[in-house]
């Protein structure tokens, strides 16, 4: 991809600085929703981002929206549950941008059904995207971060990393699992200057959530308005959705944190739903 062959300069093309000046970030699932917001905010703060998403065309489209000049955002097709695709996508990212400072393991899906009816294939699919995806991207990132002796890994957890809801067995299981993975990375990575943390958002109106509203209404036998009010936002302090920008702000805070003091932790960003 020749677009990116001249990205070695130390300054942003517009000359501005930023909290992540010339840091290189890989963000999975960044063609849409929360990941895309994070990519926008990282580029605004001077980073170079790799948008790694299942759909290469969507990843490239998001990259050109985020950086029309084509120098600070690169779209890469990557199924995070495929070892081969993660290895080649991460290698391409590192080759083009020359290093890797931040991994945001964010790609995810939601599948809702009562546990007693949950199809095994769907259970495996969800766990594979969330957990295999986090493991595979982490392993590839750590190899490079250990060479550099620094790095920051952010996992996209959820309030469901701490709390359960009916109909979401594999999602709740996977999101709890990410906290375990982050703690191990924090312990193993410390000697190599690598820290790892989890962001746990409340509901954000992305395509992932829009799809769930009618599904949950059907499964619970209530109206879509009640799914929003009485299920999704019931436990918040103010009845408000969290936004993608809220989550991006938390990601920026973690990515720009200046020392290794903040590691192995999880941060809930949810309008007060689930207070730790
Ligand atoms: P989204 O559907 O808008 O975006 C998810 C992205 O992940 C899509 O671009 C999709 O193509 C990509 N993706 C799916 N499977 C993939 C795979 N196998 N490989 C690579 N990319 C893949 O969803 P979102 O709401 O932005 O969710 C992003 C993350 O945030 C997920 O991990 C989700 O669980 C988490 N989260 C979302 C909410 C919410 O309310 N929206 C709340 C808490 C946590």
């Amino acid at each position: 991809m020749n677009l990116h062959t001249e990205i070695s300069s130390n300054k942003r093309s517009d000359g501005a600085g930023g909290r992540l000046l010339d840091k290189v970030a890989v963000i999975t699932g960044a063609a849409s929703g929360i990941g895309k917001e994070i990519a926008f905010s990282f580029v605004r703060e001077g980073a170079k981002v790799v948008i790694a998403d299942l759909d290469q065309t969507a990843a490239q489209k998001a990259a050109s929206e985020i950086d029309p000049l084509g120098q600070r955002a690169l779209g890469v097709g990557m199924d995070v549950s495929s070892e081969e695709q993660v290895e080649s996508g991460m290698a391409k990212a590192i080759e083009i941008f020359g290093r890797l400072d931040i991994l945001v393991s964010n790609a995810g899906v939601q599948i809702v059904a009562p546990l007693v009816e949950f199809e095994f294939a769907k259970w495996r699919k969800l766990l594979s995207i969330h957990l295999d995806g986090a493991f595979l991207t982490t392993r590839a990132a750590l190899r490079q971060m250990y060479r550099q002796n620094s790095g920051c890994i952010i996992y996209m957890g959820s309030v469901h990393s701490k709390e359960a809801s009916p109909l979401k067995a594999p999602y709740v299981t996977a999101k709890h699992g990410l906290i375990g993975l982050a703690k191990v990375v924090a312990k193993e990575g410390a000697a190599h200057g690598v820290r790892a943390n989890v962001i746990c958002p409340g509901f954000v109106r992305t395509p992932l959530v829009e799809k769930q509203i009618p599904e949950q209404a059907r499964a619970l036998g209530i109206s879509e308005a009640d799914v929003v009010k009485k299920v999704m936002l019931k436990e918040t302090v103010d009845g408000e959705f969290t936004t993608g920008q809220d989550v991006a702000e938390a990601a920026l805070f973690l990515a720009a944190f200046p020392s290794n003091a903040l590691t192995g932790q999880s941060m809930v960003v949810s309008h007060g739903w689930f207070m730790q």
Side-chain angles (χ1 to χ4, degrees):
M1 192 141 314
N2 298 333
L3 278 180
H4 301 277
T5 45
E6 355 167 289
I7 305 212
S8 45
S9 108
N10 280 336
K11 292 218 164 205
R12 281 173 59 161
S13 46
D14 61 5
R19 283 191 276 172
L20 298 180
L21 186 60
D22 288 333
K23 299 281 186 203
V24 175
V26 170
I27 308 171
T28 67
S32 171
I34 292 171
K36 193 172 173 185
E37 284 291 345
I38 294 173
F40 264 112
S41 82
F42 279 17
V43 167
R44 265 196 305 270
E45 292 294 335
K48 299 166 187 166
V49 298
V50 176
I51 287 146
D53 206 285
L54 199 51
D55 177 347
Q56 181 163 7
T57 310
Q60 285 169 342
K61 185 167 168 285
S64 58
E65 277 174 50
I66 288 164
D67 176 29
L69 295 177
Q71 297 206 319
R72 307 196 79 85
L74 164 73
V76 169
M78 180 196 291
D79 176 349
V80 295
S81 64
S82 153
E83 182 173 20
E84 192 195 333
Q85 290 189 33
V86 170
E87 290 291 313
S88 66
M90 296 291 283
K92 185 174 173 185
I94 291 161
E95 187 194 329
I96 289 174
F97 284 135
R99 56 184 291 115
L100 178 62
D101 302 290
I102 305 157
L103 166 68
V104 183
S105 170
N106 165 79
V109 295
Q110 178 61 279
I111 305 173
V112 293
L115 199 41
V116 73
E117 291 166 15
F118 227 105
E119 289 171 37
F120 187 38
K122 290 186 177 169
W123 165 272
R124 289 175 81 155
K125 178 184 170 190
L126 192 145
L127 289 185
S128 166
I129 294 169
H130 288 260
L131 289 180
D132 297 353
F135 160 68
L136 290 169
T137 50
T138 295
R139 191 180 60 177
L142 285 180
R143 290 193 200 113
Q144 178 67 20
M145 290 173 174
Y146 283 8
R147 277 196 283 274
Q148 296 171 195
N149 212 27
S150 72
C152 167
I153 299 187
I154 299 171
Y155 297 99
M156 197 52 63
S158 162
V159 171
H160 286 112
S161 298
K162 313 262 178 185
E163 175 71 286
S165 290
L167 311 178
K168 295 188 175 173
Y171 189 82
V172 170
T173 304
K175 292 303 193 189
H176 276 67
L178 290 177
I179 291 190
L181 178 61
K183 288 177 178 174
V184 176
V185 175
K187 292 210 169 188
E188 290 190 12
H192 307 274
V194 175
R195 59 209 163 75
N197 294 286
V198 185
I199 301 175
C200 301
F203 281 100
V204 181
R205 283 201 96 137
T206 64
L208 179 140
V209 160
E210 294 297 346
K211 178 172 163 280
Q212 273 176 69
I213 296 173
E215 285 173 358
Q216 290 219 34
R218 269 194 306 278
L220 298 171
I222 58 177
S223 70
E224 292 188 16
D226 278 351
V227 169
V228 169
K229 201 169 161 198
K230 297 185 179 162
V231 179
M232 292 181 165
L233 304 181
K234 182 171 172 239
E235 304 284 339
T236 61
V237 293
D238 52 10
E240 297 278 344
F241 276 99
T242 301
T243 66
Q245 292 95 309
D246 294 326
V247 183
E249 201 53 52
L252 196 52
F253 170 76
L254 289 173
F257 197 80
S259 78
N260 288 339
L262 183 49
T263 194
Q265 307 300 326
S266 48
M267 186 195 289
V268 180
V269 184
S270 67
H271 285 261
W273 172 26
F274 190 83
M275 297 189 191
Q276 327 196 49

